[in-house]
Amino acid sequence: MRLKMENKASPGFWLVVFSGVFLLALQTVCGDVAYSFPEEVKRGSVIENIAKDIGIEVGKLATRKARIDVDRKNKGYFDINTNLTVSDRIDRESLCGKKASCVLKEELVLENPLELHRISIHVQDINDNAPEFSEDLISFEITESAVKGARFLLTEARDADIGTNAVQRYNLQNNEHFTINVNTDVSGRKHSELVLLKELDREKAKELKLVLTAVDGGSPQRSGTAIIHITVLDANDNAPVFSQAVYEASVPENSLLDTVVVTVSATDADTGPNGDITYNFDHVSDEHVSLFSLNHKTGEIKVIGSLDYETETSIELRVRAKDGPGLTSYCTVIIDITDVNDNPPAINMKSLTNPIPENAPPGTEVGIINVQDRDSENNRQVRCSIQQGVPFKLVPSIKNYYSLVTTGQLDRELVPDYNITITATDEGSPPLSSSKTVQLSVADINDNPPVFEEQSYSAYVSENNKPGSTLCSVSARDPDWRQNGTVVYSLLAGEVNGAPVSSYLSVNGDTGLIHAVRSFDYEQFRSFKVHVMARDNGSPPLSSNVTVSVFISDVNDNSPQILYPSPEGNSFMTELVPKAAHGGSLVSKVIAVDADSGQNAWLSYHIVKSTDPGLFTIGVHSGEIRTQRDISESDSMKQNLVVAVKDNGQPSLSASCSMYLLISDNLAEAPELKDLSYSDSNSKLTSYLIIALVSVSTFFLTFIIIILGLRFCRRRKPRLLFDGAVAIPSGYLPPNYADVDGTGTLRSAYNYDAYLTTGSRTSDFKFIKRSLFHPVFIFFAYKCNYLKLTQNDFP
């Protein structure tokens, strides 16, 4: 053992001290380690290399949180680093009193894994206390009649040290009348007596003063003195005698004040003042004087202070009985303090891992708990429990240590914090308990991907929207914490109509707002889908996707497109109306389409201008031009109609066209068309017709022969009757027109049949595919049919 002690005492003193210092380092089968050293060593003195004695590496003491746990309340005398060192003054007398052996019980605790090593520290006594008398002046009154050999018991000198360091002998100043005799009782106490060697003569000396010295056996020796004052009196030859040499009593530690513990009693054979006895404590410490009182007359001992079994289990009192002249006798009172269950268990949190990650597996050790009860026997037996409903439990470990471990999977998103209440109950009667609440937080890990509030999103936008306009907002929630729960939005790569999706939409990474990058056209596409990803900022990041469907709604941004006739007089087509046409007869039909959809493509037809307003009418929804009444001779042969086609949008858009009608049964009147054309439109239609007729006249003769053959082959087929001659050319369709909903007036995939007749109400030509004929050719066919018909009129 290494001890560093500084003192200016003599070298002989330290030689004795260090000769009594030795090391006892025993590794018992239970892991006990024992050391021995003297009291009053200097703070910081090294006792021994504890790491070596318990068999672990020095560096692991710190990593395993090595510490000393003590049974004493709020008092620690040792520290531990590499060595076991003294941290506070150690006084053997205050710790153990007069006990022959003074042992301090310590516990060395190591964590990860939990280990417990019991350490026994034997504190050796040094001669640091001098003998003391309870009275500096010892008075005796001795009659002159006292005979030789008379003995007078002296006050005992008290030395707090033990063994050889306690009182070993008494010395009396040299005189002719008295000597001193020292006796040792069974307990080892040394009692001194005055022995009369020569009779007293009051006439020679009325009083004597002698010096009594008590000497201990320490090195160096210490001593204490008292003055013996002897008054020579006449006869008092009987000293008080106690009824018992030793009184024994027991009292519970929770005894009330003024509780009578025991009554001592002494008698004196003398009478009068020589027989009056008074009782006093002899050599009782201040601590014990504050606990008990002694009635000087009756010898009754009462409780006047608070007793504590955990501080002291047995108290020894010395009582002196003295008569009037001064003769004394002594007795010993031993009071045993019995334990009651007055100390609840103390719960100490020795180690705690806080916070604990939510992915910690079941069985993870969270903390170490130590439970102490200062009572004894059953009163110190403790049961420890934990509240119900938390994923933790207590696992008993070494001695009075418990490990707090998890029992299930933790989830910070469900329970972020736990208040764990630990209850310790002893087995006393009645039992006492105490509780301690441990606050434990659960640390977040990135175990939850963002979750969108809806399974899918729909956005509705009108076409021709402004770029940058907001379509909709997506929102995802992530229950994780901080960066693990911070959501960032982005568009997944993809294509819409062959273009990257980023050229159509953008998403705000922080808010989830979706914006249009450009203007949309309902006529190009009506809906599309994109995928939005929500990603958190965890490590590694987690993400989820959602589908956003964008629906483009139509606005009325397309005017009606007139297929037949060409609008604004650009067509040279003239319809022939028989003079015998009745009211309601179909004359012609205006065909129009609208690239919009829904009500924006609902077309209505109106005659806005006509040569004879009452002669013709047009179907509002069909575009069919019919006669309102029978044609009369007074009606003008040349009729010009201006037809407007309107859609049902808001605001409504429209287009117009001119329709030229000729009331005649004979194409011989055709030259009058020239006047009609120039009078109404001032166009070049007549010139174009003349050129066209000349160009195809040769071709037409051959074509007539083919037609006659076709008529013969089709004689058996049913003929459709029309009330008028209708020429329907191939109309020009907008390249982007496709009414998939069937809500428009005309589908681009339809084939149209055109029947050209005169008053004979028969059909000679049928145009099956609209893409084969230009309106000019239809007009040619019409003219040819007219010529053929006129030839048939002449057999």
Side-chain angles (χ1 to χ4, degrees):
M1 180 179 63
R2 299 182 295 276
L3 292 174
K4 298 179 181 180
M5 306 179 65
E6 296 181 4
N7 198 304
K8 295 183 180 181
S10 64
F13 168 75
W14 287 114
L15 180 60
V16 174
V17 171
F18 282 102
S19 65
V21 176
F22 61 94
L23 169 65
L24 176 59
L26 298 177
Q27 187 69 34
T28 68
V29 293
C30 298
D32 289 353
V33 180
Y35 299 103
S36 178
F37 70 99
E39 64 177 331
E40 301 293 349
V41 296
K42 184 180 177 180
R43 290 183 177 89
S45 299
V46 176
I47 297 177
E48 192 49 65
N49 187 333
I50 188 68
K52 177 181 178 183
D53 292 337
I54 64 175
I56 68 171
E57 297 178 8
V58 174
K60 291 187 178 179
L61 290 177
T63 59
R64 295 184 63 182
K65 301 179 182 179
R67 60 182 178 272
I68 295 293
D69 278 358
V70 298
D71 291 333
R72 295 174 303 282
K73 184 177 182 182
N74 300 326
K75 190 66 173 177
Y77 294 99
F78 303 96
D79 285 334
I80 185 167
N81 39 52
T82 302
N83 301 306
L84 183 65
T85 60
V86 178
S87 63
D88 200 358
R89 174 177 176 266
I90 299 177
D91 184 9
R92 192 204 64 81
E93 286 72 31
S94 63
L95 291 175
C96 303
K98 300 292 285 185
K99 293 181 179 178
S101 176
C102 184
V103 180
L104 301 181
K105 298 293 187 179
E106 310 289 346
E107 291 179 349
L108 172 61
V109 179
L110 299 173
E111 296 185 10
N112 297 321
L114 179 63
E115 291 183 22
L116 181 65
H117 296 270
R118 290 182 289 273
I119 302 175
S120 298
I121 309 294
H122 297 263
V123 182
Q124 296 178 339
D125 182 49
I126 65 172
N127 192 26
D128 58 340
N129 294 282
E132 293 180 351
F133 289 91
S134 60
E135 298 173 326
D136 293 333
L137 180 64
I138 303 173
S139 299
F140 287 96
E141 292 180 352
I142 304 175
T143 64
E144 61 182 353
S145 60
V147 298
K148 293 179 181 181
R151 297 176 180 270
F152 305 94
L153 187 62
L154 295 173
T155 299
E156 181 183 3
R158 180 179 178 274
D159 193 333
D161 296 323
I162 62 172
T164 59
N165 293 327
V167 176
Q168 297 298 315
R169 67 180 185 276
Y170 292 88
N171 297 325
L172 184 64
Q173 179 184 349
N174 290 331
N175 66 93
E176 64 176 343
H177 292 285
F178 294 94
T179 187
I180 191 168
N181 183 42
V182 179
N183 298 316
T184 303
D185 59 15
V186 293
S187 63
R189 290 179 179 272
K190 296 185 180 299
H191 306 285
S192 59
E193 296 175 326
L194 278 178
V195 179
L196 186 61
L197 297 177
K198 180 181 179 181
E199 293 84 357
L200 298 175
D201 187 355
R202 186 175 180 275
E203 287 69 31
K204 291 182 178 181
K206 294 183 179 180
E207 60 181 18
L208 298 172
K209 289 186 178 181
L210 305 175
V211 177
L212 178 63
T213 302
V215 182
D216 62 22
S219 179
Q221 288 185 336
R222 295 178 182 267
S223 62
T225 60
I227 302 299
I228 301 175
H229 182 263
I230 300 173
T231 302
V232 181
L233 300 176
D234 290 336
N236 177 29
D237 52 357
N238 291 288
V241 178
F242 280 98
S243 60
Q244 297 177 224
V246 177
Y247 291 85
E248 294 183 355
S250 62
V251 60
E253 61 176 327
N254 62 344
S255 297
L256 300 177
L257 299 181
D258 293 330
T259 299
V260 177
V261 179
V262 68
T263 300
V264 297
S265 177
T267 59
D268 194 317
D270 295 324
T271 60
N274 294 333
D276 293 336
I277 300 174
T278 57
Y279 302 95
N280 291 284
F281 285 128
D282 183 67
H283 286 302
V284 176
S285 66
D286 294 338
E287 291 83 0
H288 295 165
V289 170
S290 65
L291 298 178
F292 300 98
S293 67
L294 176 61
N295 190 302
H296 299 295
K297 295 297 183 183
T298 63
E300 190 176 65
I301 298 176
K302 294 182 179 180
V303 176
I304 60 172
S306 178
L307 304 179
D308 189 1
Y309 174 86
E310 288 70 41
T311 301
E312 197 167 10
T313 60
S314 180
I315 297 176
E316 183 178 310
L317 304 176
R318 188 77 169 166
V319 179
R320 180 180 68 244
K322 184 177 182 180
D323 61 17
L327 297 180
T328 59
S329 62
Y330 298 87
C331 73
T332 299
V333 178
I334 298 176
I335 301 175
D336 293 325
I337 300 175
T338 59
D339 182 46
V340 296
N341 193 28
D342 59 344
N343 291 284
I347 302 174
N348 301 308
M349 199 73 198
K350 296 298 183 180
S351 177
L352 181 64
T353 302
N354 193 16
I356 180 172
E358 61 179 324
N359 63 343
T364 301
E365 184 178 81
V366 177
I368 297 175
I369 297 167
N370 176 256
V371 182
Q372 297 280 352
D373 195 314
R374 299 178 62 222
D375 295 319
S376 64
E377 297 180 354
N378 289 339
N379 293 335
R380 70 178 303 168
Q381 300 300 317
V382 178
R383 300 186 307 274
C384 206
S385 62
I386 195 172
Q387 71 193 72
Q388 299 294 324
V390 295
F392 300 94
K393 68 177 180 178
L394 288 176
V395 178
S397 186
I398 303 172
K399 197 179 177 182
N400 49 359
Y401 284 86
Y402 295 84
S403 294
L404 180 64
V405 300
T406 60
T407 59
Q409 191 67 44
L410 305 178
D411 191 345
R412 191 204 66 84
E413 288 69 45
L414 295 178
V415 183
D417 298 285
Y418 289 94
N419 288 327
I420 305 170
T421 301
I422 300 171
T423 302
T425 305
D426 61 29
E427 296 184 359
S429 180
L432 299 179
S433 63
S434 61
S435 299
K436 185 179 184 65
T437 299
V438 178
Q439 294 182 344
L440 186 64
S441 299
V442 181
D444 183 52
I445 63 169
N446 193 27
D447 58 345
N448 290 280
V451 177
F452 284 94
E453 294 181 351
E454 299 181 19
Q455 293 183 351
S456 62
Y457 291 84
S458 298
Y460 298 89
V461 58
S462 299
E463 64 175 329
N464 304 325
N465 59 292
K466 292 182 179 180
S469 58
T470 301
L471 302 186
C472 67
S473 175
V474 297
S475 179
R477 297 284 183 257
D478 193 323
D480 292 325
W481 194 47
R482 290 187 176 176
Q483 71 271 12
N484 292 336
T486 302
V487 180
V488 178
Y489 303 93
S490 61
L491 286 175
L492 291 180
E495 291 186 352
V496 177
N497 284 356
V501 67
S502 59
S503 65
Y504 288 88
L505 299 177
S506 67
V507 61
N508 188 302
D510 296 326
T511 63
L513 289 175
I514 297 178
H515 304 277
V517 175
R518 66 181 183 182
S519 179
F520 300 131
D521 188 356
Y522 176 83
E523 285 69 44
Q524 289 184 355
F525 55 90
R526 302 184 180 184
S527 65
F528 61 92
K529 293 182 180 181
V530 298
H531 299 283
V532 177
M533 179 179 70
R535 176 182 56 82
D536 60 30
N537 283 331
S539 180
L542 301 178
S543 63
S544 60
N545 302 334
V546 71
T547 300
V548 179
S549 300
V550 180
F551 298 94
I552 304 170
S553 59
D554 183 48
V555 298
N556 194 28
D557 60 345
N558 290 281
S559 300
Q561 182 77 35
I562 299 176
L563 304 181
Y564 177 82
S566 296
E568 303 298 335
N570 293 329
S571 172
F572 300 101
M573 185 64 65
T574 300
E575 301 290 349
L576 187 64
V577 180
K579 292 182 178 180
H582 299 288
S585 298
L586 177 64
V587 174
S588 184
K589 182 175 182 178
V590 177
I591 301 175
V593 295
D594 196 315
D596 295 320
S597 66
Q599 66 178 9
N600 295 328
W602 296 349
L603 302 181
S604 60
Y605 301 85
H606 307 276
I607 297 176
V608 297
K609 182 179 179 182
S610 66
T611 303
D612 190 349
L615 182 56
F616 298 100
T617 184
I618 190 169
V620 176
H621 300 295
S622 65
E624 294 178 346
I625 299 176
R626 295 179 182 271
T627 58
Q628 293 192 70
R629 57 179 173 81
D630 295 341
I631 295 177
S632 65
E633 294 294 335
S634 61
D635 291 326
S636 175
M637 181 180 180
K638 297 175 289 184
Q639 296 288 331
N640 183 20
L641 302 180
V642 177
V643 178
V645 182
K646 297 182 179 181
D647 60 27
N648 199 36
Q650 292 295 331
S652 176
L653 301 179
S654 64
S656 62
C657 65
S658 295
M659 178 72 70
Y660 301 101
L661 303 176
L662 179 64
I663 301 175
S664 176
D665 292 330
N666 195 332
L667 284 179
E669 301 174 358
E672 297 184 13
L673 292 173
K674 178 179 179 181
D675 297 334
L676 175 65
S677 174
Y678 275 90
S679 62
D680 290 342
S681 63
N682 195 24
S683 68
K684 297 180 180 180
L685 178 61
T686 303
S687 298
Y688 293 152
L689 292 175
I690 293 173
I691 295 171
L693 287 173
V694 174
S695 300
V696 300
S697 58
T698 303
F699 168 76
F700 192 75
L701 293 175
T702 306
F703 187 72
I704 289 296
I705 297 173
I706 298 173
I707 294 302
L708 292 176
L710 294 175
R711 286 190 62 190
F712 179 79
C713 294
R714 297 182 180 179
R715 287 281 183 182
R716 299 179 182 179
K717 295 183 179 179
R719 302 185 178 210
L720 298 177
L721 299 180
F722 283 81
D723 292 333
V726 181
I728 304 176
S730 171
Y732 171 74
L733 294 178
N736 61 347
Y737 175 76
D739 193 352
V740 296
D741 293 333
T743 57
T745 57
L746 187 64
R747 297 187 178 222
S748 61
Y750 287 172
N751 296 326
Y752 302 100
D753 294 340
Y755 295 90
L756 306 176
T757 65
T758 62
S760 63
R761 304 177 185 269
T762 61
S763 174
D764 292 315
F765 296 94
K766 180 177 182 180
F767 305 108
I768 299 176
K769 293 189 177 179
R770 60 182 178 86
S771 61
L772 298 179
F773 296 95
H774 191 275
V776 174
F777 289 101
I778 298 176
F779 181 78
F780 290 161
Y782 173 78
K783 292 298 182 180
C784 293
N785 187 44
Y786 174 77
L787 291 175
K788 186 187 78 167
L789 292 176
T790 55
Q791 291 175 358
N792 291 337
D793 291 338
F794 299 93

